[in-house]
Amino acid sequence: MRHLARVHPSTEQRRSNREELTRFCTHCAELFGAPTAPADKPLRGRVCGNCGLGVILTCSSATLTAPRAAFLVVTADLRVSASSRAAEDVLAIPDGSYGRPLLSLLTSPAGIGELARAVIRAANGTLAPSTIPVLVASKDLEARIGGCGNPPAALLVLEPVAS
Amino acid sequence: MSGIRTNAAAELLGVSPNTLRSWERRFGYPEPRRTAGGHRQYELGELEALRRALLETHNISSAIQVARQRGEGLGSSSRLVEAFDRFDEGLADRLMEESLALRSIERSVEELLLPALEIAESREGREAEYELACRWATGWLHAARRVCPAASRPDGVLLFDSSPGLTLEGLQVQALELGLRRAGFRVLLLSVGLAQERMTRAMRALDPTALVLCGTGATLDVVGRLVYSVRQLGSSAPLFEYRGAMPVSGSHNIPSLGGTPSEAVRNLKAMVDGSAFGRIAAVASRAGSRP
């Protein structure tokens, strides 16, 4: 089953070079370009200035390619620690997805073991994304899974299956 | 105590004053006091808790949830549980150290360590965290026991433990042992299932003034044999139970020391020091080998 999770080829080529990074809001999913904040002021720009409800995280620009995407931020213990507004619409859970086990929200035709492995790998620091088919609320989608942070977590970007 | 004005609070958190006010409306946190002039005054503790939480979480509502829990004060049991969840023994040590700066060892154990273990035990699917919590707490209690002053009382207390291995109940017994040592008693903790011939030397060395049945793993038969063995060895020390250790659902004639280590230590001290102890000892002596 492992071969069903394919690694994004364009990112794979860049892995030897410096990763291209982008910052994004965990709530409104706006993109803010590469990180520029000085290390001695970690809170400067930590909270999204647009919506005031999301935290600004960093990920590979190959994982999150467009603003206002539907995504989940998942910790290494496979719990959802944040979700974008668009993802909440896709998941359609009245109480929100925060704190829920990821595998209670979505499954994968490739197997939940494969999905869990991809998420844990990303949550442990692998920025380069891999793509895996997922089933969310009876909808067939694709999840692009890459690392993000800080604190370290996996970013699952939910998208329609590429034809 | 003076609070922090909105602009300074917003600066501290790296947000705009408008964002800070919107959190107050939406989440009710941070919740400022108002001056006579109607200006907001934020508590530094709340801001500090939120500042740390923002760096550790992935969205504002969870950051506020974490900050609220931390707002319970220094070294709250929820923070200790958080340390267990992160498998961070260093943080757990630090929280206990913080607590010891404000509370006694006894209060730190009863208000922080044991409640955190209760929370850790009650959660499903968190067995690894609970095991870590038990192992860490065992180590902490042993370390605290090692720095206890020498016994200052002639009275010896023999604890018979029937709790299964690495559990909260076992740690309650260890906490009682620590409390008794700190109260100046000579203490020996033995397993309830020990054979009579193995107990002889221990009984002679300690010459206990009181026997305490602890843990919830003993059957009535085991308790009966234990008391018989003790009486055979010539001891007339009265038997007490701790935290409902007697394996009977109805009434029985074994006096209870209470449900917490400090309560048990207090009761035992009162009984040893006061006249009540003499009466209980006499009753136990007459009762012979009956538990």
Side-chain angles (χ1 to χ4, degrees), chain A residues 56-161:
Chain A
I56 305 295
L57 301 184
T58 303
C59 69
S60 163
S61 52
T63 307
L64 195 57
T65 52
R68 292 176 289 284
F71 61 73
L72 301 173
V73 179
V74 181
T75 51
D77 64 355
L78 297 179
R79 284 182 186 271
V80 175
S81 65
S83 56
S84 68
R85 218 156 26 197
E88 290 297 336
D89 293 340
V90 172
L91 294 167
I93 298 172
D95 301 336
S97 57
Y98 171 69
R100 289 179 185 262
L102 173 70
L103 301 179
S104 71
L105 300 175
L106 53 89
T107 58
S108 172
I112 54 171
E114 191 62 32
L115 174 63
R117 265 192 295 278
V119 172
I120 291 168
R121 200 166 46 230
N124 286 329
T126 304
L127 286 179
S130 57
T131 305
I132 190 167
V134 290
L135 191 63
V136 185
S138 307
K139 286 192 276 277
D140 282 315
L141 298 174
E142 267 187 349
R144 197 163 50 248
I145 304 173
C148 69
N150 270 326
L155 181 67
L156 276 80
V157 184
L158 303 172
E159 290 183 328
V161 179

Side-chain angles (χ1 to χ4, degrees), chain A residues 6-64:
Chain A
R6 59 188 161 83
V7 175
H8 200 286
S10 61
T11 309
E12 192 63 12
Q13 285 165 6
R14 275 202 296 263
R15 279 178 87 175
S16 55
N17 304 327
R18 189 178 171 278
E19 292 277 358
E20 270 188 46
L21 300 177
T22 189
R23 292 178 308 140
F24 64 98
C25 168
T26 58
H27 183 73
C28 66
E30 284 298 331
L31 300 185
F32 297 96
T36 53
D40 61 334
K41 286 193 173 177
L43 268 184
R44 184 64 52 228
R46 176 68 174 171
V47 177
C48 175
N50 284 359
C51 66
L53 294 172
V55 165
I56 305 295
L57 301 184
T58 303
C59 69
S60 163
S61 52
T63 307
L64 195 57

Side-chain angles (χ1 to χ4, degrees), chain B residues 138-286:
Chain B
T138 301
W140 195 91
L141 289 168
H142 280 201
R145 202 183 67 184
R146 277 202 297 276
V147 294
C148 279
S152 56
R153 291 167 166 270
D155 316 291
V157 181
L158 182 50
L159 305 175
F160 288 109
D161 186 10
S162 68
S163 55
L166 206 59
T167 58
L168 173 58
E169 199 54 49
L171 288 160
Q172 289 277 6
V173 179
Q174 288 179 42
L176 172 63
E177 184 194 7
L178 175 65
L180 287 169
R181 284 179 189 274
R182 284 181 49 82
F185 287 100
R186 294 180 303 119
V187 186
L188 187 59
L189 176 61
L190 292 176
S191 163
V192 78
L194 211 60
Q196 184 185 339
E197 59 272 21
R198 308 279 181 225
M199 211 189 298
T200 310
R201 286 196 301 276
M203 287 288 290
R204 286 204 183 119
L206 186 70
D207 186 21
T209 311
L211 311 169
V212 183
L213 182 63
C214 311
T216 51
T219 62
L220 211 51
D221 181 49
V222 168
V223 177
R225 271 192 280 124
L226 172 76
V227 176
Y228 176 78
S229 300
V230 168
R231 300 299 177 232
Q232 284 290 99
L233 293 169
S235 173
S236 60
L239 178 68
F240 301 95
E241 67 157 7
Y242 171 58
R243 291 178 59 81
M246 271 302 287
V248 289
S249 51
S251 62
H252 54 79
N253 63 355
I254 305 295
S256 174
L257 289 179
T260 63
S262 61
E263 189 185 356
V265 171
R266 200 169 49 244
N267 286 337
L268 206 53
K269 273 167 80 175
M271 283 186 261
V272 168
D273 296 340
S275 56
F277 185 74
R279 287 199 298 276
I280 291 165
V283 170
S285 180
R286 281 198 301 278

Side-chain angles (χ1 to χ4, degrees), chain B residues 93-158:
Chain B
D93 286 334
R94 206 159 55 244
L95 292 171
M96 287 302 283
E97 288 300 319
E98 281 178 12
S99 175
L100 289 174
L102 301 170
R103 312 173 173 112
S104 65
I105 285 188
E106 286 79 0
R107 282 189 59 204
S108 293
V109 167
E110 284 183 30
E111 295 174 17
L112 182 60
L113 189 146
L114 294 174
L117 286 162
E118 270 176 36
I119 297 170
E121 184 196 35
S122 66
R123 299 175 311 163
E124 281 184 24
R126 297 283 187 136
E127 286 78 10
E129 288 83 347
Y130 175 52
E131 182 174 338
L132 168 99
C134 287
R135 288 188 191 283
W136 170 84
T138 301
W140 195 91
L141 289 168
H142 280 201
R145 202 183 67 184
R146 277 202 297 276
V147 294
C148 279
S152 56
R153 291 167 166 270
D155 316 291
V157 181
L158 182 50

Side-chain angles (χ1 to χ4, degrees), chain A residues 26 43 46 52-53 81 98 151, chain B residues 23 51 54 57-60 62:
Chain A
T26 58
L43 268 184
R46 176 68 174 171
L53 294 172
S81 65
Y98 171 69
Chain B
W23 290 349
R51 195 185 68 82
L54 281 171
T57 55
H58 295 125
N59 67 42
I60 302 303
S62 57

